[in-house]
Protein backbone atom coordinates (compact mmCIF):
# COMPACT_ATOMS: atom_id res chain seq x y z
CA UNK A 1 0.00 0.00 0.00
CA UNK A 2 1.15 3.51 -0.74
CA UNK A 3 0.01 6.67 0.99
CA UNK A 4 -1.99 9.21 -1.00
CA UNK A 5 -0.79 12.80 -0.99
CA UNK A 6 -3.32 13.79 1.64
CA UNK A 7 -2.25 10.82 3.77
CA UNK A 8 1.40 11.93 3.56
CA UNK A 9 0.30 15.44 4.55
CA UNK A 10 -1.67 14.09 7.51
CA UNK A 11 1.20 11.86 8.65
CA UNK A 12 3.68 14.76 8.44
CA UNK A 13 1.38 17.24 10.19
CA UNK A 14 1.22 14.90 13.20
CA UNK A 15 4.97 15.24 13.79
CA UNK A 16 5.01 18.97 14.67
CA UNK A 17 5.21 19.64 18.42
CA UNK A 18 2.92 22.08 20.21
CA UNK A 19 4.05 25.69 19.64
CA UNK A 20 6.08 24.97 16.49
CA UNK A 21 6.49 27.75 13.92
CA UNK A 22 6.11 26.16 10.50
CA UNK A 23 6.50 27.36 6.92
CA UNK A 24 4.79 25.27 4.25
CA UNK A 25 6.18 25.55 0.73
CA UNK A 26 3.91 26.20 -2.22
CA UNK A 27 2.29 23.30 -4.04
CA UNK A 28 2.09 19.91 -2.34
CA UNK A 29 3.30 20.99 1.14
CA UNK A 30 0.37 23.44 1.40
CA UNK A 31 -1.83 20.36 1.95
CA UNK A 32 -0.24 19.91 5.38
CA UNK A 33 -2.15 22.98 6.62
CA UNK A 34 -5.41 21.03 6.36
CA UNK A 35 -4.23 18.33 8.80
CA UNK A 36 -2.61 20.23 11.67
CA UNK A 37 -3.57 18.51 14.94
CA UNK A 38 -6.27 20.46 16.73
CA UNK A 39 -4.86 19.79 20.18
CA UNK A 40 -1.61 21.60 19.35
CA UNK A 41 -0.98 25.26 18.65
CA UNK A 42 1.01 25.35 15.39
CA UNK A 43 1.93 28.82 14.10
CA UNK A 44 2.15 29.07 10.32
CA UNK A 45 4.59 31.52 8.74
CA UNK A 46 4.09 32.64 5.16
CA UNK A 47 6.96 34.27 3.27
CA UNK A 48 4.80 37.15 2.07
CA UNK A 49 4.69 38.60 5.54
CA UNK A 50 2.38 36.89 8.03
CA UNK A 51 2.68 34.76 11.16
CA UNK A 52 -0.27 32.88 12.55
CA UNK A 53 -1.82 32.45 9.12
CA UNK A 54 -5.23 30.80 8.98
CA UNK A 55 -6.81 28.22 6.70
CA UNK A 56 -7.80 28.80 3.07
CA UNK A 57 -10.59 31.38 2.77
CA UNK A 58 -14.13 30.29 1.94
CA UNK A 59 -15.78 31.95 -1.06
CA UNK A 60 -17.37 34.70 1.06
CA UNK A 61 -14.14 35.36 3.00
CA UNK A 62 -11.87 36.07 0.01
CA UNK A 63 -9.79 39.22 0.39
CA UNK A 64 -7.22 40.01 -2.30
CA UNK A 65 -4.92 41.58 0.33
CA UNK A 66 -4.80 38.40 2.42
CA UNK A 67 -3.01 35.60 0.59
CA UNK A 68 -0.40 32.92 1.20
CA UNK A 69 2.89 32.25 -0.61
CA UNK A 70 1.01 30.35 -3.32
CA UNK A 71 -1.20 33.45 -3.75
CA UNK A 72 -4.23 31.56 -2.45
CA UNK A 73 -6.62 33.61 -0.24
CA UNK A 74 -6.36 32.68 3.43
CA UNK A 75 -7.85 33.87 6.74
CA UNK A 76 -6.58 35.93 9.69
CA UNK A 77 -7.19 34.16 13.00
CA UNK A 78 -6.66 35.90 16.37
CA UNK A 79 -2.96 36.30 17.20
CA UNK A 80 -1.81 36.84 13.61
CA UNK A 81 0.82 39.46 12.74
CA UNK A 82 2.01 41.15 9.54
CA UNK A 83 5.49 42.35 8.58
CA UNK A 84 7.42 43.32 5.47
CA UNK A 85 9.42 41.04 3.21
CA UNK A 86 12.88 41.75 4.63
CA UNK A 87 11.62 40.88 8.14
CA UNK A 88 9.89 37.79 6.82
CA UNK A 89 13.10 36.43 5.31
CA UNK A 90 15.16 37.53 8.32
CA UNK A 91 12.93 35.16 10.30
CA UNK A 92 14.07 32.34 8.01
CA UNK A 93 17.73 33.27 7.61
CA UNK A 94 18.02 34.14 11.28
CA UNK A 95 16.96 30.64 12.32
CA UNK A 96 13.65 31.61 13.90
CA UNK A 97 11.43 29.24 11.88
CA UNK A 98 11.30 25.78 13.47
CA UNK A 99 10.19 23.70 10.50
CA UNK A 100 9.69 24.09 6.79
CA UNK A 101 8.17 21.60 4.39
CA UNK A 102 9.29 21.71 0.77
CA UNK A 103 8.63 19.72 -2.36
CA UNK A 104 11.59 18.28 -4.27
CA UNK A 105 12.80 16.99 -7.61
CA UNK A 106 15.68 15.22 -5.88
CA UNK A 107 17.21 14.84 -2.43
CA UNK A 108 20.74 13.46 -2.04
CA UNK A 109 21.75 11.27 0.87
CA UNK A 110 24.03 14.05 2.14
CA UNK A 111 20.91 16.27 2.48
CA UNK A 112 21.41 18.32 -0.69
CA UNK A 113 18.08 19.54 -2.07
CA UNK A 114 17.12 20.20 -5.71
CA UNK A 115 13.64 21.66 -6.05
CA UNK A 116 13.65 24.88 -8.10
CA UNK A 117 14.89 24.24 -11.61
CA UNK A 118 14.95 21.27 -13.93
CA UNK A 119 17.96 22.71 -15.73
CA UNK A 120 16.20 22.18 -19.07
CA UNK A 121 17.43 24.78 -21.58
CA UNK A 122 13.97 26.18 -22.34
CA UNK A 123 12.79 26.22 -18.72
CA UNK A 124 12.15 29.60 -17.10
CA UNK A 125 13.71 29.29 -13.66
CA UNK A 126 11.71 30.50 -10.64
CA UNK A 127 13.32 30.16 -7.23
CA UNK A 128 11.03 32.21 -4.97
CA UNK A 129 11.83 31.63 -1.32
CA UNK A 130 13.02 28.04 -1.63
CA UNK A 131 16.75 28.74 -1.17
CA UNK A 132 16.12 30.94 1.87
CA UNK A 133 13.92 28.33 3.52
CA UNK A 134 16.30 25.48 2.74
CA UNK A 135 19.20 27.09 4.61
CA UNK A 136 17.17 28.99 7.19
CA UNK A 137 14.62 26.73 8.87
CA UNK A 138 15.90 24.74 11.86
CA UNK A 139 14.41 21.54 10.45
CA UNK A 140 13.86 21.05 6.71
CA UNK A 141 11.36 18.36 5.81
CA UNK A 142 10.67 17.28 2.26
CA UNK A 143 7.34 15.90 1.10
CA UNK A 144 7.30 14.07 -2.23
CA UNK A 145 6.55 10.84 -4.06
CA UNK A 146 9.54 8.51 -3.74
CA UNK A 147 9.63 7.75 -7.47
CA UNK A 148 9.04 9.92 -10.53
CA UNK A 149 6.27 9.02 -12.97
CA UNK A 150 8.91 7.30 -15.07
CA UNK A 151 10.17 5.24 -12.13
CA UNK A 152 13.32 7.15 -11.15
CA UNK A 153 14.06 7.21 -7.43
CA UNK A 154 14.07 10.83 -6.20
CA UNK A 155 16.44 10.07 -3.34
CA UNK A 156 19.84 9.86 -5.00
CA UNK A 157 23.56 9.51 -4.29
CA UNK A 158 24.12 12.94 -5.81
CA UNK A 159 21.63 15.46 -7.25
CA UNK A 160 21.75 15.94 -11.01
CA UNK A 161 19.32 18.88 -11.02
CA UNK A 162 20.54 22.36 -9.98
CA UNK A 163 20.78 22.62 -6.18
CA UNK A 164 18.56 24.69 -3.90
CA UNK A 165 20.60 24.19 -0.73
CA UNK A 166 23.50 22.06 0.48
CA UNK A 167 23.16 19.45 3.20
CA UNK A 168 19.93 20.93 4.49
CA UNK A 169 17.28 18.18 4.39
CA UNK A 170 16.63 16.30 7.61
CA UNK A 171 13.58 14.19 6.84
CA UNK A 172 11.78 12.99 3.74
CA UNK A 173 8.10 12.02 3.87
CA UNK A 174 7.09 9.97 0.84
CA UNK A 175 4.23 7.81 -0.33
CA UNK A 176 6.25 4.66 0.37
CA UNK A 177 8.29 5.43 3.48
CA UNK A 178 9.68 8.08 5.83
CA UNK A 179 13.45 8.65 5.85
CA UNK A 180 15.84 10.54 8.09
CA UNK A 181 19.17 11.83 6.80
CA UNK A 182 22.18 12.31 9.01
CA UNK A 183 25.94 12.16 8.55
CA UNK A 184 25.73 10.83 5.02
CA UNK A 185 23.44 7.98 5.95
CA UNK A 186 19.78 7.40 5.24
CA UNK A 187 17.65 5.79 7.90
CA UNK A 188 14.19 4.39 7.27
CA UNK A 189 11.77 5.36 10.04
CA UNK A 190 8.58 3.87 8.65
CA UNK A 191 7.53 1.90 5.58
CA UNK A 192 4.04 2.13 4.06
CA UNK A 193 4.62 0.14 0.88
CA UNK A 194 4.31 -3.64 0.89
CA UNK A 195 8.06 -4.04 1.13
CA UNK A 196 10.53 -4.92 3.82
CA UNK A 197 13.76 -3.01 4.28
CA UNK A 198 15.65 -5.21 1.81
CA UNK A 199 12.90 -4.79 -0.79
CA UNK A 200 12.95 -1.03 -0.36
CA UNK A 201 16.75 -0.97 -0.70
CA UNK A 202 16.48 -2.92 -3.91
CA UNK A 203 13.76 -0.67 -5.34
CA UNK A 204 15.74 2.47 -4.49
CA UNK A 205 19.18 1.14 -5.31
CA UNK A 206 20.53 2.65 -2.09
CA UNK A 207 21.91 1.27 1.15
CA UNK A 208 19.47 2.05 3.97
CA UNK A 209 19.86 2.02 7.76
CA UNK A 210 17.17 0.38 9.85
CA UNK A 211 15.39 2.95 11.99
CA UNK A 212 12.08 1.11 12.02
CA UNK A 213 10.31 1.03 15.33
CA UNK A 214 9.10 -2.50 16.06
CA UNK A 215 5.33 -2.59 15.81
CA UNK B 1 4.16 73.22 4.60
CA UNK B 2 5.00 69.67 3.62
CA UNK B 3 2.40 68.29 1.27
CA UNK B 4 3.30 65.21 -0.74
CA UNK B 5 -0.13 64.76 -2.33
CA UNK B 6 -0.30 64.68 -6.09
CA UNK B 7 -3.46 65.07 -8.10
CA UNK B 8 -3.30 62.23 -10.59
CA UNK B 9 -1.46 59.04 -11.43
CA UNK B 10 -0.21 60.67 -14.65
CA UNK B 11 1.30 63.56 -12.72
CA UNK B 12 2.86 61.14 -10.20
CA UNK B 13 4.88 59.24 -12.82
CA UNK B 14 5.46 62.04 -15.37
CA UNK B 15 9.21 62.42 -14.69
CA UNK B 16 10.16 58.72 -14.94
CA UNK B 17 12.71 58.72 -17.77
CA UNK B 18 13.60 56.04 -20.29
CA UNK B 19 16.13 53.63 -18.83
CA UNK B 20 15.04 54.16 -15.21
CA UNK B 21 15.21 51.41 -12.61
CA UNK B 22 11.72 51.14 -11.13
CA UNK B 23 10.76 49.05 -8.12
CA UNK B 24 7.14 47.95 -8.16
CA UNK B 25 5.58 46.72 -4.93
CA UNK B 26 3.32 43.72 -4.63
CA UNK B 27 3.40 39.97 -4.28
CA UNK B 28 1.30 38.69 -7.15
CA UNK B 29 -1.64 41.10 -7.16
CA UNK B 30 -1.59 41.87 -3.42
CA UNK B 31 -0.08 45.32 -3.00
CA UNK B 32 0.45 45.85 -6.70
CA UNK B 33 -0.05 49.57 -7.49
CA UNK B 34 -2.10 48.90 -10.60
CA UNK B 35 -3.15 52.49 -11.34
CA UNK B 36 0.43 53.79 -11.07
CA UNK B 37 1.60 51.04 -13.42
CA UNK B 38 -1.20 51.92 -15.83
CA UNK B 39 -0.02 55.53 -15.72
CA UNK B 40 3.54 54.43 -16.47
CA UNK B 41 2.21 52.42 -19.39
CA UNK B 42 0.46 55.49 -20.74
CA UNK B 43 3.46 57.73 -19.99
CA UNK B 44 5.45 55.41 -22.25
CA UNK B 45 8.88 55.39 -20.55
CA UNK B 46 10.81 52.50 -22.06
CA UNK B 47 14.01 50.53 -21.59
CA UNK B 48 13.05 50.17 -17.92
CA UNK B 49 14.65 47.85 -15.39
CA UNK B 50 11.82 46.64 -13.16
CA UNK B 51 12.26 45.09 -9.71
CA UNK B 52 9.29 43.05 -8.47
CA UNK B 53 8.87 39.65 -6.83
CA UNK B 54 7.15 38.29 -9.93
CA UNK B 55 7.05 39.14 -13.62
CA UNK B 56 3.41 40.00 -14.06
CA UNK B 57 0.16 38.10 -13.64
CA UNK B 58 -2.61 37.94 -16.21
CA UNK B 59 -2.78 40.80 -18.69
CA UNK B 60 -2.97 43.91 -16.51
CA UNK B 61 -0.54 45.86 -14.32
CA UNK B 62 3.08 44.74 -14.62
CA UNK B 63 2.13 42.12 -17.23
CA UNK B 64 0.73 44.88 -19.46
CA UNK B 65 3.90 46.97 -19.03
CA UNK B 66 6.01 44.00 -20.09
CA UNK B 67 3.60 43.27 -22.93
CA UNK B 68 3.98 46.83 -24.22
CA UNK B 69 7.74 46.27 -24.54
CA UNK B 70 8.65 48.97 -22.02
CA UNK B 71 10.70 46.66 -19.80
CA UNK B 72 14.28 45.84 -20.82
CA UNK B 73 15.10 43.75 -17.76
CA UNK B 74 13.25 42.10 -14.87
CA UNK B 75 14.90 41.53 -11.50
CA UNK B 76 12.68 39.09 -9.61
CA UNK B 77 12.51 35.82 -7.68
CA UNK B 78 9.56 34.03 -9.22
CA UNK B 79 8.74 34.88 -12.85
CA UNK B 80 7.14 31.60 -13.89
CA UNK B 81 3.54 31.25 -12.81
CA UNK B 82 0.43 29.82 -14.34
CA UNK B 83 -0.65 33.27 -15.50
CA UNK B 84 2.74 34.77 -16.44
CA UNK B 85 2.24 34.10 -20.15
CA UNK B 86 3.16 37.62 -21.29
CA UNK B 87 6.57 37.50 -19.62
CA UNK B 88 7.13 33.88 -20.70
CA UNK B 89 6.56 34.77 -24.34
CA UNK B 90 8.91 37.79 -24.29
CA UNK B 91 11.59 35.85 -22.40
CA UNK B 92 11.49 32.92 -24.81
CA UNK B 93 11.71 35.36 -27.73
CA UNK B 94 14.84 36.89 -26.17
CA UNK B 95 13.13 40.27 -25.82
CA UNK B 96 13.61 40.71 -22.08
CA UNK B 97 16.52 40.12 -19.72
CA UNK B 98 16.00 38.23 -16.47
CA UNK B 99 18.00 38.41 -13.26
CA UNK B 100 16.68 35.77 -10.93
CA UNK B 101 17.33 36.36 -7.22
CA UNK B 102 16.31 34.19 -4.25
CA UNK B 103 13.41 36.02 -2.62
CA UNK B 104 15.14 36.68 0.70
CA UNK B 105 18.24 37.97 -1.08
CA UNK B 106 16.00 40.18 -3.21
CA UNK B 107 14.36 41.61 -0.08
CA UNK B 108 17.65 42.06 1.77
CA UNK B 109 19.38 43.65 -1.24
CA UNK B 110 16.52 46.15 -1.44
CA UNK B 111 16.68 46.72 2.33
CA UNK B 112 20.46 47.20 2.17
CA UNK B 113 20.08 49.89 -0.49
CA UNK B 114 17.69 51.86 1.71
CA UNK B 115 19.85 51.37 4.80
CA UNK B 116 23.11 52.46 3.20
CA UNK B 117 24.75 49.04 3.53
CA UNK B 118 27.49 48.54 0.91
CA UNK B 119 27.10 44.76 0.61
CA UNK B 120 26.37 41.83 2.89
CA UNK B 121 27.20 38.14 3.33
CA UNK B 122 24.20 35.81 3.19
CA UNK B 123 24.05 32.01 3.46
CA UNK B 124 21.18 31.83 0.96
CA UNK B 125 22.20 30.41 -2.39
CA UNK B 126 25.67 29.24 -1.34
CA UNK B 127 26.82 26.39 -3.55
CA UNK B 128 24.02 26.90 -6.09
CA UNK B 129 24.09 28.23 -9.64
CA UNK B 130 22.67 31.55 -8.40
CA UNK B 131 25.92 32.16 -6.51
CA UNK B 132 28.24 31.27 -9.40
CA UNK B 133 31.01 33.82 -9.83
CA UNK B 134 30.17 35.58 -6.57
CA UNK B 135 32.57 36.19 -3.72
CA UNK B 136 32.15 33.79 -0.79
CA UNK B 137 33.48 33.65 2.74
CA UNK B 138 33.41 31.21 5.62
CA UNK B 139 32.43 32.93 8.85
CA UNK B 140 32.26 30.95 12.11
CA UNK B 141 32.15 27.69 10.18
CA UNK B 142 29.31 28.69 7.88
CA UNK B 143 29.52 29.61 4.18
CA UNK B 144 28.19 32.91 2.87
CA UNK B 145 27.82 34.68 -0.48
CA UNK B 146 28.49 38.39 -0.95
CA UNK B 147 25.45 40.24 -2.29
CA UNK B 148 25.14 43.88 -3.29
CA UNK B 149 22.26 46.33 -2.77
CA UNK B 150 19.61 46.98 -5.40
CA UNK B 151 18.86 50.69 -5.67
CA UNK B 152 16.16 52.27 -7.76
CA UNK B 153 15.38 55.61 -9.29
CA UNK B 154 11.68 55.23 -8.55
CA UNK B 155 9.50 52.99 -6.39
CA UNK B 156 5.78 52.56 -7.10
CA UNK B 157 4.01 51.09 -4.10
CA UNK B 158 0.54 50.69 -2.67
CA UNK B 159 -0.55 51.31 0.91
CA UNK B 160 -3.85 51.70 2.75
CA UNK B 161 -3.56 55.18 4.27
CA UNK B 162 -1.18 58.08 4.40
CA UNK B 163 -1.09 61.67 5.57
CA UNK B 164 0.34 64.69 3.77
CA UNK B 165 3.82 63.92 5.17
CA UNK B 166 3.79 60.53 3.45
CA UNK B 167 3.55 58.39 6.58
CA UNK B 168 2.10 55.03 5.51
CA UNK B 169 0.15 52.12 6.89
CA UNK B 170 -0.60 49.07 4.80
CA UNK B 171 -3.26 46.38 4.69
CA UNK B 172 -2.62 42.70 5.57
CA UNK B 173 -0.24 40.82 3.25
CA UNK B 174 -0.38 43.68 0.72
CA UNK B 175 2.43 45.25 2.79
CA UNK B 176 5.10 42.84 1.44
CA UNK B 177 7.82 44.81 -0.40
CA UNK B 178 6.32 48.29 0.14
CA UNK B 179 8.32 49.45 3.19
CA UNK B 180 11.73 48.32 1.89
CA UNK B 181 11.18 49.59 -1.65
CA UNK B 182 10.09 52.96 -0.27
CA UNK B 183 13.48 53.31 1.40
CA UNK B 184 15.53 51.99 -1.55
CA UNK B 185 14.37 54.41 -4.25
CA UNK B 186 15.41 57.99 -4.89
CA UNK B 187 11.77 58.91 -5.52
CA UNK B 188 8.99 56.87 -3.93
CA UNK B 189 5.41 57.19 -5.10
CA UNK B 190 2.67 55.59 -3.01
CA UNK B 191 -0.92 55.12 -4.06
CA UNK B 192 -3.23 54.88 -1.06
CA UNK B 193 -6.93 54.36 -0.41
CA UNK B 194 -7.11 57.55 1.61
CA UNK B 195 -5.01 60.48 2.72
CA UNK B 196 -6.02 61.42 6.27
CA UNK B 197 -5.33 64.47 8.46
CA UNK B 198 -2.06 64.67 10.39
CA UNK B 199 -2.56 62.97 13.74
CA UNK B 200 -5.16 60.47 12.56
CA UNK B 201 -2.59 57.72 12.03
CA UNK B 202 -1.29 56.19 15.27
CA UNK B 203 2.44 57.03 15.51
CA UNK B 204 3.02 53.75 17.41
CA UNK B 205 1.55 51.77 14.53
CA UNK B 206 3.18 53.65 11.66
CA UNK B 207 4.83 51.24 9.25
CA UNK B 208 6.65 53.48 6.77
CA UNK B 209 7.71 56.86 8.13
CA UNK B 210 7.16 59.67 5.67
CA UNK B 211 10.88 60.33 5.22
CA UNK B 212 10.91 57.50 2.69
CA UNK B 213 7.95 58.71 0.66
CA UNK B 214 7.96 61.55 -1.87
CA UNK B 215 4.52 61.51 -3.45
CA UNK B 216 1.15 60.16 -2.36
CA UNK B 217 -1.80 59.65 -4.61
CA UNK B 218 -5.26 59.05 -3.17
CA UNK B 219 -7.22 56.41 -5.05
CA UNK B 220 -10.16 54.82 -3.20
CA UNK B 221 -9.91 51.06 -3.78
CA UNK B 222 -12.65 49.36 -1.78
CA UNK B 223 -14.65 48.17 -4.73
CA UNK B 224 -11.54 46.89 -6.46
CA UNK B 225 -10.35 44.96 -3.45
CA UNK B 226 -13.57 43.18 -2.71
CA UNK B 227 -13.90 41.77 -6.18
CA UNK B 228 -10.14 41.32 -6.33
CA UNK B 229 -9.38 37.66 -6.18
CA UNK B 230 -5.66 37.12 -5.87
CA UNK B 231 -4.34 34.68 -8.41
Amino acid sequence: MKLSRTEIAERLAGDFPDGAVVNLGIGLPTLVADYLPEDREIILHTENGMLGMGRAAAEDEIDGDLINAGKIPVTEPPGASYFHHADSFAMMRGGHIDYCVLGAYQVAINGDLANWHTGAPDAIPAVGGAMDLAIGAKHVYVMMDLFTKTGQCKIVEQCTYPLTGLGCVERIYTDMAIFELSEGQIRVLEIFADLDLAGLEEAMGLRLQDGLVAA
Amino acid sequence: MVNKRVGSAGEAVADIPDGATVMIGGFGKAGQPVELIDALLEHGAKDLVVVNNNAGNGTTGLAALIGAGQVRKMICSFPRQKDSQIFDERYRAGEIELEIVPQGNLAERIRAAGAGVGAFFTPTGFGTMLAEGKETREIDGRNYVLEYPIKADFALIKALKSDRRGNLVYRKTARNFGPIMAAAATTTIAQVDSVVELGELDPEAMVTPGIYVDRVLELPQDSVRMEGKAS
Side-chain angles (χ1 to χ4, degrees), chain A residues 26 46-50 59 62-73 76 82-87 89-90 93 105 116-117 122-132 135-136 162-166, chain B residues 27-28 30-31 53-54 57 77-81 87-88 91-92 98 100-105 107-108 111 122-130 142 171-177 179-180 225 228-231:
Chain A
I26 61 173
T46 183
E47 67 187 16
N48 53 319
M50 184 180 192
E59 191 63 31
I62 289 173
D63 178 336
D65 287 344
L66 181 48
I67 60 175
N68 67 13
K71 306 187 175 73
I72 296 164
E76 177 198 274
Y82 298 109
F83 33 86
H84 64 61
H85 247 80
D87 278 350
F89 282 80
R93 205 187 303 109
Y105 294 134
W116 73 284
H117 189 14
D122 67 331
I124 298 175
V127 67
M131 288 187 180
D132 305 277
I135 58 88
L163 293 179
T164 306
L166 274 57
Chain B
F27 182 87
N53 187 58
N54 304 105
N57 300 81
S77 85
F78 207 77
R80 187 195 65 225
Q81 299 176 94
F87 172 82
D88 298 358
Y91 180 76
R92 293 209 159 97
L98 172 65
I100 188 120
V101 183
Q103 198 171 156
N105 286 358
E108 195 63 16
R111 199 196 70 81
T122 171
T124 302
F126 180 85
T128 74
M129 62 186 263
L130 295 186
R142 195 168 192 202
R171 191 169 177 278
K172 304 184 185 288
T173 58
R175 178 183 307 191
N176 56 66
F177 285 90
I180 53 174
R225 177 178 315 118
K229 290 186 187 177
S231 64

Side-chain angles (χ1 to χ4, degrees), chain B residues 33-193:
Chain B
V34 176
E35 287 79 0
L36 287 175
I37 300 169
D38 286 347
L40 185 55
L41 190 67
E42 192 164 320
H43 168 54
K46 54 185 190 299
D47 220 15
L48 302 172
V49 176
V50 171
V51 184
N52 180 263
N53 187 58
N54 304 105
N57 300 81
T59 55
T60 58
L62 177 53
L65 196 67
I66 292 168
Q70 290 172 243
V71 181
R72 174 175 67 79
K73 179 180 177 182
M74 273 307 309
I75 301 176
C76 67
S77 85
F78 207 77
R80 187 195 65 225
Q81 299 176 94
K82 62 179 187 301
D83 59 350
S84 61
Q85 64 276 6
I86 291 181
F87 172 82
D88 298 358
E89 206 172 286
R90 292 230 157 224
Y91 180 76
R92 293 209 159 97
E95 292 167 351
I96 190 164
E97 270 180 72
L98 172 65
E99 179 180 347
I100 188 120
V101 183
Q103 198 171 156
N105 286 358
L106 182 68
E108 195 63 16
R109 289 175 66 188
I110 294 167
R111 199 196 70 81
V117 171
F120 59 92
F121 282 103
T122 171
T124 302
F126 180 85
T128 74
M129 62 186 263
L130 295 186
E132 277 170 18
K134 293 182 176 174
E135 194 176 331
T136 60
R137 186 175 298 183
E138 188 181 318
I139 303 170
D140 282 342
R142 195 168 192 202
N143 291 306
Y144 295 84
V145 183
L146 186 66
E147 292 285 355
Y148 291 90
I150 302 174
K151 295 176 192 157
D153 302 304
F154 289 85
L156 310 182
I157 63 171
K158 182 175 171 182
L160 179 65
K161 288 180 185 173
S162 74
D163 55 28
R164 63 177 171 78
R165 288 192 185 169
N167 292 307
L168 302 179
V169 295
Y170 299 82
R171 191 169 177 278
K172 304 184 185 288
T173 58
R175 178 183 307 191
N176 56 66
F177 285 90
I180 53 174
M181 287 182 170
T186 306
T187 302
T188 292
I189 308 166
Q191 68 170 74
V192 299
D193 281 27

